[in-house]
């Protein structure tokens, strides 16, 4: 396991400590400033009027007039308002409005009551009161009344109220914020005319504030065009954009309901002096949402408009860039230093911590250098850098940190010591282990790592010396003994193992881990029998074997290729009441990947079907499951796995990305491959591994995007050093589209790069030349291959043989076949298929018989393609019964799953032999055959088309009906194509039998409506144990998915 998790808690502690330390500093400086300011006030250095009232000397504080606030009438009205007694409020109002000065709270309560019971008279009532009592017409009171009206949705009433106050010469009581609020209310209702009317009556300064409010209101009402139009008017008058307006506009970018694009908004904001606060707020949102595109655009906008990039803007921008783009982050970091911004230890630590996953080593080291130059390094920052190195598997650099720590006079804590020992162990730095250990301050975990380091060197003397030293100090933990036992199993003798085991038993330190350690050791020595016998010893000691015990045995059996023993242990595990866990399933997937037995592979996949845990929680398990499904070309299960990955919202590692891309390539979904590639490289800023790049290139060339693959290869070549596998995929792309010259150019480029060709690359080149008909060049490549010390295999010979057969040169092909056999290479199924197919094409049936007999004699298993070639051969030889017998025997033998293409081939042989009725009989018989997928939509289309050719229109309609009924109730089958249905309809109309088509059309329409499309199908696809859907109309049943 990686050492990274051991550092995570310390990094969190570092961040927490830094936050607390910063807060403490701020409080300390605030208290100091407060005391100095207060002393200055008392000494008269600062005028007392500049200080707050509570800091003024006693006797200078003005007496507060509370007569209005504490009047009985005001208090009574406020109490009635709290109780919701609006009638009582209005009764008091009518009695007291002419003679009593009411408080602001009481007037607000009166406005509420009037709104509820007599809104028509509200404007008249309140303005009359303020006219009689002008001292109560205060801005804050008017503003609270306007706010009450607007909260109730009475914008027009608020407008009339303010207009009435203005008419009564009470303009001074009308605050600008009330006018803005009314404008914003009309704008939020998209009432353009009222907005224009209000703004037209104001002077230029008031107009600017109102226009800002209108922009905010239009954004709230989701009227982007009106908002931008108002913004343009504001700019035309050269007025200021308020911070709140800018914040509202920026918030609209992230709201799809408003619909203002980032580019359009920034274009509209050109020329404004935008306050820093909203810019900083938007940048912080970009950091939270990991929105790199918006952050880049905003950064460019600020620079173009010469807006100051304050620390509040630059800080989140740097943090985001650190996760996505190292070069950009480096430039920002340098710029912040040049602007003399204070880069605190906390900020530097946070940015450095972001460098691990995207492998931004240069940035992390630049930050560390900045801290060291200013003597700001601490144990926490060194731990963060160590974590970055460990995440990137740069353990040598992680170990070298020790020198800098000592130079900076920082004392490592126990966690760092253990990590250093662990890293030193992994890279063989025994000198560092000894040096760290000699400094003292170690604990039992440190000793454990030292023992493991000595064990890695095979130094048993040192191992036992360390153990004896710990024994002399007192009790030793079982974990330490188990580690020594593990080393003895690897480097020691059986006597040493038994002696140590006896000692552990005498100290009562034998645990289940002890037995599992022994089991692992014997398994590594390929002594499966001794490892398996330990199960009885475990039980005899009163212990119960756990999943780890059984997984160890299953893994050992699989490593030895002993699958029968692996399944036997798997069954024992089930009898013990233990469910397979993620480790068990991962081992079983290896069986699936290795086995050539189809039934064993299906048994392994059944374990996957029955697992009751989430596979996406284990990256290794996801990889093994994907690899097994891709290997088997098990499309239904592969769709299920990728849908589980999407549903779990799994964040793949760089290693995961390669196989997930490969899975989507297998599903022929190149768009999803591109989406994953963009997510990995653009959104997350990760540098792909050579495996991930190879998988992406393979997906692209398989989809025919060879030019784009070459472009992608050139783009990443400087960051991901090319290898032979990457070149092989590109060569394959050119070969697949028949561009033998392009394949040779890539071959030349590979040699120029100083890379060594491998067997796959040479075989692909041979295949490209053979397919293009240039067999002589293919033979030259085979000679060059041998000169490079690479011997051709059956795939290489098969490609050459296929080229010869395509040219019709079977005699030369037979020579190649015999040459391969003379070299000790055993022809495989593909080789026999190639020769057999060539013989059938050339109608050399005696050679066909010879190849079939030799294939049986050598024990080579026939594939579906083999059987289809044999069926085609018997069809051409006019021996239909032989073709039927071949397929029937293959189905009942159970050695292969007959696919729908093979069924189509047999039906085609029937039509070729003028036996259409026999084809119809076989179409129904397929449903009863074991190990047979039966007919699919393409099969039905083939039958319908051939029945039309033989003028059997009634039978064609019946078959089309059957296919359409299946498609209507079975989501995995597509309906018949429109071209086939149109052809059948035209044929029926010509015969005057168009009535036969009506029921078929209804069923076909229903089936078409059930076709799932695109992403919805991928996400809704489930893998059932077995699917057998029967149509109520005719008892037609479909086959299971597998």
């Amino acid at each position: 396991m990686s050492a990274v998790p051991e550092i995570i808690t310390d990094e969190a502690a570092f961040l927490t400590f830094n936050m607390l330390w910063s807060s403490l500093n701020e409080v300390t400086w605030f208290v100091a400033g407060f005391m100095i300011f207060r002393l200055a006030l008392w000494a008269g250095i600062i005028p007392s009027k500049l200080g707050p009232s509570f800091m003024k000397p006693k006797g200078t504080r003005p007496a507060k007039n509370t007569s209005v606030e504490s009047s009985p009438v005001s208090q009574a009205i406020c109490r009635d308002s709290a109780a919701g007694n609006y009638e009582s409020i209005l009764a008091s109002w009518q009695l007291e409005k002419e003679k009593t000065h009411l408080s602001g709270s009481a007037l607000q309560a009166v406005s509420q009551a009037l709104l509820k019971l007599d809104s028509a008279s509200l404007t008249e009532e309140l303005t009359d009161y303020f006219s009689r009592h002008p001292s109560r017409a205060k801005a804050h009171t008017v503003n609270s009344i306007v706010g009450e009206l607007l909260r109730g949705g009475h914008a027009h009433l608020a407008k009339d109220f303010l207009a009435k106050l203005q008419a009564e010469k009470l303009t001074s009581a009308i605050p600008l914020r009330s006018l803005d609020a009314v404008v914003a209310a009309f704008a939020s209702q998209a009432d353009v005319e009222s907005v224009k009317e209000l703004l037209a009556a104001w002077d230029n300064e008031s107009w600017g504030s109102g226009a800002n409010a209108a922009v905010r209101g239009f954004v709230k009402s989701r009227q982007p065009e009106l908002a931008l139009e108002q913004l343009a008017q504001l700019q035309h008058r050269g007025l200021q954009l308020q911070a709140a307006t800018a914040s509202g506009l920026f918030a609209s970018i992230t709201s799809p309901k408003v619909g203002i694009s980032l580019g359009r908004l920034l274009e509209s904001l050109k020329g404004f002096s935008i306050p820093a606060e909203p810019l900083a707020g938007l940048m912080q949102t970009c950091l939270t949402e990991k929105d790199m595109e918006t952050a880049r655009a905003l950064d460019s906008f600020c620079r173009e408009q010469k807006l100051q990039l304050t620390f509040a803007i630059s800080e989140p921008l740097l943090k985001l860039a650190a996760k996505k783009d190292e070069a950009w982050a480096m430039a920002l970091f340098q710029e912040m230093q040049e602007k003399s911004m204070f880069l605190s230890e906390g900020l530097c630590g946070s940015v450095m911590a972001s460098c691990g996953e995207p492998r931004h080593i240069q940035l992390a080291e630049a930050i560390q250098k900045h801290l060291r130059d200013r003597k700001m390094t601490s144990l926490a920052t060194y731990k963060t850098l160590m974590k970055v190195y460990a995440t990137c598997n740069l353990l040598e650099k992680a170990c070298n940190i020790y020198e800098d720590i000592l130079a900076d006079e920082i004392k490592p804590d126990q966690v760092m010591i253990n990590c250093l020992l662990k890293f030193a162990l992994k890279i063989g730095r025994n000198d560092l282990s000894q040096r760290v250990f000699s400094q003292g301050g170690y604990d039992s975990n440190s000793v454990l790592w030292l023992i493991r380091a000595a064990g890695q060197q095979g130094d048993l003397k040192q191992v036992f010396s360390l153990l004896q030293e710990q024994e002399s100090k007192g009790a030793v933990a079982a974990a330490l003994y188990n580690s020594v036992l593990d080393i003895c199993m690897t480097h020691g003798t059986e006597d040493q193992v038994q002696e140590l085991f006896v000692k552990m038993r005498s100290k009562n330190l034998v645990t289940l881990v002890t037995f599992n350690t022994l089991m692992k050791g014997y398994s590594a020595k390929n002594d499966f029998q001794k490892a398996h016998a330990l199960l009885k010893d475990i039980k005899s000691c009163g212990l119960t074997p756990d999943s780890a015990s059984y997984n160890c045995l299953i893994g050992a059996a699989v490593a030895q290729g002993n699958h029968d023993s692996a399944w036997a242990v798997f069954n024992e595990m089930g009898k013990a009441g233990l469910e397979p866990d993620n480790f068990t399933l991962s081992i079983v997937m290896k069986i699936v990947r290795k086995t050539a037995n189809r039934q064993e592979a299906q048994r392994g996949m059944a374990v996957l079907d029955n697992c009751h845990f989430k596979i996406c929680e284990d990256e290794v398990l996801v990889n093994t499951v994907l690899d097994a499904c891709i290997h088997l070309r098990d499309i239904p299960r592969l769709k299920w796995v990728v849908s589980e990955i999407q549903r779990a919202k799994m964040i793949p590692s760089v290693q995961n990305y390669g196989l997930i891309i490969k899975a989507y390539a297998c599903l022929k979904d190149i768009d999803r491959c591109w989406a994953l590639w963009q997510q990995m490289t653009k959104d997350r800023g990760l540098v792909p591994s050579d495996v991930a790049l190879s998988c992406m290139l393979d997906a692209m060339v398989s989809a025919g995007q060879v030019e784009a693959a070459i472009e992608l290869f050139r783009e990443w070549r400087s960051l991901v050093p090319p290898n032979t596998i990457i070149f092989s995929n590109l060569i394959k792309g050119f070969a697949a589209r028949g561009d033998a010259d392009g394949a040779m150019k890539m071959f030349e480029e590979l040699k120029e790069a100083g890379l060594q060709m491998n067997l796959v690359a040479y075989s692909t080149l041979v295949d490209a030349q053979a397919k293009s008909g240039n067999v002589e060049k293919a033979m030259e490549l085979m000679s060059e291959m041998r000169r490079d010390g690479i011997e051709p295999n059956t795939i290489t010979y098969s490609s050459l043989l296929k080229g010869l057969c395509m040219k019709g040169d079977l005699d030369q092909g037979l020579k190649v076949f015999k040459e391969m056999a003379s070299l000790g290479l055993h022809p495989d199924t593909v080789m026999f298929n190639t020769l057999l197919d060539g013989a059938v094409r050339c109608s050399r049936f005696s050679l066909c018989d010879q190849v079939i007999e030799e294939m049986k004699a050598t024990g080579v298993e026939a594939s579906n393609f083999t059987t289809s070639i044999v069926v085609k051969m018997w069809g051409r030889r006019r021996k239909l019964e032989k073709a039927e017998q071949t397929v029937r025997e293959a189905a009942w033998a159970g050695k292969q799953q007959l696919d729908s293409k093979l069924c189509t081939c047999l039906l085609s042989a029937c039509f070729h032999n003028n036996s259409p009725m026999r084809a119809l009989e076989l179409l129904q018989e397929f449903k009863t055959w074991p190990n047979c997928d039966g007919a699919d939509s393409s099969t039905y289309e083939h039958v319908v088309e051939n029945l039309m050719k033989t003028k059997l229109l009634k039978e064609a309609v019946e078959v089309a009906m059957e296919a359409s009924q299946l498609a209507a109730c079975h989501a995995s089958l597509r309906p018949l194509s429109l071209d086939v249905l149109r052809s059948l309809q035209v044929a029926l109309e010509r015969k005057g039998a168009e009535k036969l088509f009506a029921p078929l059309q209804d069923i076909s329409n229903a089936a078409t409506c059930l076709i799932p499309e695109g992403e919805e199908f991928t996400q809704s696809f489930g893998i059932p144990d077995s699917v057998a859907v029967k149509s109520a109309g005719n008892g037609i049943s479909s086959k299971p998915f597998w």
Side-chain angles (χ1 to χ4, degrees), residues 57 70 219 270 284 299 306 325 731 767 769 1035:
S70 61
V219 169
K270 286 183 177 179
Q284 189 63 46
D299 179 45
K306 294 182 171 52
D325 188 330
I731 291 171
D767 184 56
Q769 296 297 334

Side-chain angles (χ1 to χ4, degrees), residues 732-742 768 771-772:
K732 184 181 77 172
F734 285 109
R737 69 178 188 180
D739 187 355
D741 293 336
K771 283 181 178 177
S772 65

Side-chain angles (χ1 to χ4, degrees), residues 144 174 187 226 316 401 416 453 569 574 592 730 935 1004:
S144 65
I174 304 175
L226 295 176
I401 284 178
M416 177 171 275
V569 176
V592 173
L730 297 174
S1004 298

Side-chain angles (χ1 to χ4, degrees), residues 553-564:
L553 289 173
I554 297 171
V558 172
Q560 296 176 26
N562 190 353
H563 293 180
D564 290 339

Side-chain angles (χ1 to χ4, degrees), residues 519-520 522-523 527-535 538 545 547-560 562 565-567 569-570 572 587:
M519 199 175 289
K520 184 184 76 170
Y522 288 128
S523 298
D527 194 344
F528 176 79
Q529 298 301 324
K530 205 163 189 176
H532 187 263
L534 285 170
L535 285 177
I538 293 174
S547 298
S549 309
Y550 289 104
N551 288 338
C552 179
L553 289 173
I554 297 171
V558 172
Q560 296 176 26
N562 190 353
S565 294
W567 286 115
V569 176
F570 181 83
E572 288 182 50
I587 299 168

Side-chain angles (χ1 to χ4, degrees), residues 336-393:
M336 292 175 75
Q337 293 179 75
E338 291 171 356
K339 290 181 178 180
S340 299
M341 293 182 180
F342 177 66
L343 304 177
S344 67
E345 181 187 335
L347 172 61
C348 290
S350 176
V351 175
M352 192 190 298
S354 303
C355 297
E357 185 184 8
R359 304 177 69 86
H360 291 165
I361 303 302
Q362 187 179 357
L363 176 60
E365 292 178 340
I367 293 172
Q368 180 68 3
K369 183 179 184 302
H370 169 83
L371 292 172
R372 290 198 76 190
D373 291 345
R374 288 155 182 79
K375 301 188 183 304
M376 293 170 60
T377 53
S378 66
L379 180 61
T381 57
Y382 273 114
K383 282 185 175 180
T384 303
L385 183 60
M386 181 179 285
K387 179 190 171 185
V388 172
Y389 285 143
T391 302
C392 301
N393 203 31

